[in-house]
Amino acid sequence: MTTAILVSEVGPRDGLQSIAALMPLESKMAWVKAEAAAGVREIEVGSFVPAKLLPQLADTASLVQYALTIPGLTVAVLVPNLHGAQAALRAGAHKITIPLSASETHSLRNVRRTHAQMLEEVRAIAQLIRAMPPQRRPVLEGGLSTAFGCTLEGHVPSMKVIELAEALMRCGCDEVGLSDTTGYANPAQIKSLVREVQSAVGAAAVHSLHLHNTRGLGLANVLAGIEAGITTFDGSLGGLGGCPFAPGASGNIVTEDLVFMLEAMGLDTGIDLPRLLEVRSILRDSLPDEPLYGFTPAAGLPLGYTAAGGTA
Amino acid sequence: MTTAILVSEVGPRDGLQSIAALMPLESKMAWVKAEAAAGVREIEVGSFVPAKLLPQLADTASLVQYALTIPGLTVAVLVPNLHGAQAALRAGAHKITIPLSASETHSLRNVRRTHAQMLEEVRAIAQLIRAMPPQRRPVLEGGLSTAFGCTLEGHVPSMKVIELAEALMRCGCDEVGLSDTTGYANPAQIKSLVREVQSAVGAAAVHSLHLHNTRGLGLANVLAGIEAGITTFDGSLGGLGGCPFAPGASGNIVTEDLVFMLEAMGLDTGIDLPRLLEVRSILRDSLPDEPLYGFTPAAGLPLGYTAAGGTA
């Protein structure tokens, strides 16, 4: 079992896109800066989507530009299509994730595209990236959403997920991530699907999970993922988040609780948890009407808590 | 890995002891009846403690008497000492748990007794039980509380837990349970401590965990427990509960979320989850001012959900 885990903060994208309030760019910059200072090494700062669809993320290019000035930080973004990817490449993001919903019904509802149409976009994006000088090429991730079930279709066959993972890699993705967009996943399913997809496209290309805590199984699913060899987990500070297009889906894993579990288990995240907990004040101040979640923030750290890295 | 798990409902004891409101005996009876009808096979219905200490549980003898009329139900109770055990034996409980806090500071605070004094009580209880006709003897469990850490002492050495588990078995317990009274446990610790205690006293005597969800790790800890061979997990309907004597400790695992995870994983609990969810209405009606918790109750069952046993 691995002893180092990458916690990828997706709150500035997945969290903010699911709430009505707009966070000012200055607050987003303060948030990204503070999390990086607490030791977070990868942050998904936004999404290149039309501002009229998601005004909350309209300043993504500016936030990418700022985040790129922070040493050691991997600056990730989401793009729904080729047009978004072009903007992401112009901005200079280190990592680009394009979601592909394993449920075609969800894909049509979410981005109004079939699987075939989405794969065409992925191929075009990969071609653009390959035309760039190697040292400027971002990592291209295909994010398989609704991989563990769909609020519209229900059960999603693992064969469909495997087939789409293979298609994403053939289209030029560097890696595929599995997303439990709807909070349907359970630990047994996490282990079996991760292993099946790893067998199909190679373990090196399947190292990240995006999990929701909709039914309270988020951290149990993380544990199952670790046992299957996953080393990157998304979280959202204060549990901001969810998918506004999947009815009934809500709640990313709370980054604070995720880091607490990993560090308590002796898995090194490189994150200073007490310092991470302080970052919540930026959310409280800039989004005063949004509820923040998290068990560890509410209960506090255990008496005598020691982080995996040895820092208290 | 096992495919059948016993979910032991402790809400009528651990839940009710931690809230100020008194639930009428009729409501407790309705609760126990409804949970048994939903398939719950073991319920800790109360505690034999002085009524002036815990007036919420003053009717435990009457509730035991009622619960014994439900076919197939294991009727469990908690006792703090020999005096309580005598009452439990008179009432005819099937299972008696006596807690022993691994943290002596917590033991002194909770029951005003040292480890040596508590072990003396356990020995006396076991002698009483051995004097009974074999077919009437209840199971005697030593419940090692604060086994994973203490809000007063902090870290609790695993050697201390092992030593006390051995002492409990020597004093005549049939089994020992491990309790994360304070919500300090993490999955790695669960696995290692369960295995160490099993090595010391035999795996057959270590099959149950009592976990709290104080820092959100409850279900991840269940998963770790299953992987270590644990087959019985306590839960509290609606997440009522906690330990009023351990400052900062709160929140048993929510029975509904526990059952959802287990059944979704294909582990048979024998519990009809939709029917279990309906039992919450008894708590809402009889404790209108108490908040009820649970992710699965809030989100609902996934579209197309099928239980492990094959019932929808």
Side-chain angles (χ1 to χ4, degrees):
Chain A
M1 199 165 91
T2 181
T3 57
I5 298 287
L6 179 66
V7 171
S8 181
E9 172 64 52
V10 299
R13 195 276 302 169
D14 204 359
L16 291 180
Q17 80 169 37
S18 71
I19 62 173
L22 301 188
M23 183 185 273
L25 177 60
E26 292 67 34
S27 301
K28 293 185 183 183
M29 289 163 61
W31 179 4
V32 168
K33 181 182 182 180
E35 278 216 38
V40 174
R41 286 169 289 146
E42 180 173 300
I43 303 181
E44 195 172 72
V45 298
S47 185
F48 284 101
V49 286
K52 67 172 196 283
L53 277 182
L54 285 177
Q56 303 95 317
L57 307 182
D59 54 12
T60 294
S62 303
L63 191 55
V64 168
Q65 194 177 15
Y66 170 73
L68 289 172
T69 67
I70 300 174
L73 181 67
T74 298
V75 181
V77 295
L78 202 84
V79 305
N81 50 34
L82 176 62
H83 188 73
Q86 287 166 329
L89 294 176
R90 276 195 302 276
H94 296 129
K95 182 179 172 187
I96 295 177
T97 298
I98 178 162
L100 171 62
S101 187
S103 153
E104 199 154 29
T105 314
H106 181 262
S107 182
L108 288 164
R109 187 82 65 95
N110 199 349
V111 291
R112 298 185 198 170
R113 281 189 171 82
T114 62
H115 283 158
Q117 288 172 317
M118 281 302 291
L119 290 167
E120 217 26 74
E121 298 283 320
V122 174
R123 191 175 290 116
I125 295 168
Q127 273 172 2
L128 265 189
I129 291 175
R130 270 198 302 274
M132 296 169 73
Q135 69 281 9
R136 287 189 46 227
R137 288 178 197 163
V139 170
L140 180 60
E141 178 195 49
L144 276 166
S145 54
T146 68
F148 299 92
C150 172
T151 50
L152 305 166
E153 289 192 1
H155 175 68
V156 170
S158 60
M159 276 312 299
K160 171 57 72 181
V161 178
I162 292 164
E163 174 194 314
L164 291 172
E166 290 172 332
L168 283 168
M169 294 301 286
R170 271 200 308 274
C171 288
C173 283
D174 299 301
E175 54 189 67
V176 291
L178 301 179
S179 295
D180 181 24
T181 318
T182 56
Y184 274 35
N186 69 70
Q189 186 187 17
I190 293 273
K191 273 194 204 178
S192 65
L193 189 60
V194 165
R195 285 171 178 160
E196 286 183 280
V197 177
Q198 285 173 336
S199 294
V201 302
V206 188
H207 61 82
S208 76
L209 283 177
H210 174 91
L211 301 170
H212 283 223
N213 198 32
T214 315
R215 287 173 182 79
L217 274 56
L219 293 181
N221 288 337
V222 167
L223 186 62
I226 291 169
E227 291 176 354
I230 295 294
T231 54
T232 300
F233 294 93
D234 292 354
S236 179
L237 196 79
L240 274 177
C243 174
F245 305 104
S250 67
N252 287 114
I253 289 182
V254 175
T255 306
E256 301 90 308
D257 290 341
L258 172 62
V259 171
F260 170 67
M261 181 174 87
L262 296 171
E263 290 285 328
M265 290 178 69
L267 297 167
D268 191 5
T269 64
I271 296 171
D272 180 330
L273 184 49
R275 200 160 171 187
L276 183 71
L277 291 170
E278 290 168 14
V279 184
R280 291 166 67 93
S281 67
I282 296 173
L283 300 192
R284 265 196 303 272
D285 293 346
S286 56
L287 300 169
D289 297 329
E290 285 302 321
L292 295 185
Y293 303 99
F295 285 87
T296 302
L301 294 175
L303 182 65
Y305 167 78
T306 313
T311 55
Chain B
M1 200 165 89
T2 180
T3 58
I5 298 287
L6 179 67
V7 171
S8 181
E9 172 64 51
V10 298
R13 195 277 302 169
D14 204 358
L16 292 180
Q17 80 169 39
S18 71
I19 63 174
L22 301 188
M23 184 186 273
L25 177 61
E26 293 67 34
S27 301
K28 292 186 183 182
M29 289 164 61
W31 180 5
V32 167
K33 180 182 183 183
E35 278 217 39
V40 174
R41 287 169 288 146
E42 180 172 300
I43 303 180
E44 195 173 72
V45 298
S47 186
F48 285 101
V49 286
K52 68 170 195 284
L53 277 182
L54 286 176
Q56 304 95 316
L57 307 182
D59 53 12
T60 294
S62 304
L63 191 55
V64 168
Q65 193 177 18
Y66 170 74
L68 289 172
T69 67
I70 301 174
L73 181 68
T74 298
V75 181
V77 295
L78 201 85
V79 304
N81 50 33
L82 176 62
H83 188 75
Q86 288 165 330
L89 294 176
R90 278 195 301 275
H94 297 130
K95 182 180 171 186
I96 296 177
T97 298
I98 178 161
L100 171 63
S101 189
S103 152
E104 198 154 29
T105 313
H106 181 261
S107 183
L108 288 165
R109 187 81 65 95
N110 199 350
V111 291
R112 297 183 199 171
R113 280 187 172 84
T114 63
H115 284 158
Q117 289 172 315
M118 282 301 293
L119 290 167
E120 217 26 74
E121 299 283 321
V122 174
R123 192 175 290 116
I125 295 169
Q127 273 171 1
L128 265 190
I129 292 175
R130 269 198 302 273
M132 298 169 71
Q135 69 280 9
R136 285 189 47 227
R137 288 180 197 160
V139 170
L140 180 60
E141 178 195 48
L144 276 165
S145 54
T146 67
F148 300 93
C150 172
T151 49
L152 305 167
E153 288 192 2
H155 175 69
V156 171
S158 59
M159 277 313 298
K160 172 56 70 181
V161 178
I162 292 163
E163 174 194 314
L164 291 172
E166 290 171 334
L168 283 168
M169 294 301 287
R170 270 198 310 273
C171 288
C173 283
D174 300 301
E175 54 190 66
V176 290
L178 301 179
S179 294
D180 181 25
T181 318
T182 55
Y184 274 34
N186 69 70
Q189 187 188 16
I190 294 273
K191 273 195 206 179
S192 64
L193 189 60
V194 165
R195 285 172 178 158
E196 286 181 280
V197 178
Q198 285 173 335
S199 294
V201 302
V206 188
H207 62 80
S208 77
L209 283 177
H210 175 91
L211 301 169
H212 283 222
N213 198 34
T214 315
R215 287 172 183 79
L217 273 55
L219 293 181
N221 288 337
V222 167
L223 186 61
I226 291 170
E227 291 177 353
I230 295 294
T231 55
T232 300
F233 294 94
D234 292 354
S236 179
L237 197 78
L240 276 176
C243 174
F245 305 104
S250 66
N252 286 115
I253 289 183
V254 175
T255 306
E256 301 91 308
D257 290 342
L258 172 62
V259 172
F260 171 66
M261 183 175 86
L262 297 171
E263 290 284 329
M265 290 177 71
L267 298 168
D268 192 4
T269 63
I271 296 171
D272 181 329
L273 183 51
R275 203 162 169 185
L276 182 71
L277 291 170
E278 290 168 14
V279 183
R280 291 168 67 93
S281 67
I282 296 172
L283 299 192
R284 264 195 304 271
D285 293 347
S286 56
L287 300 169
D289 297 328
E290 283 303 321
L292 295 184
Y293 303 98
F295 285 87
T296 302
L301 295 174
L303 182 64
Y305 166 79
T306 313
T311 55

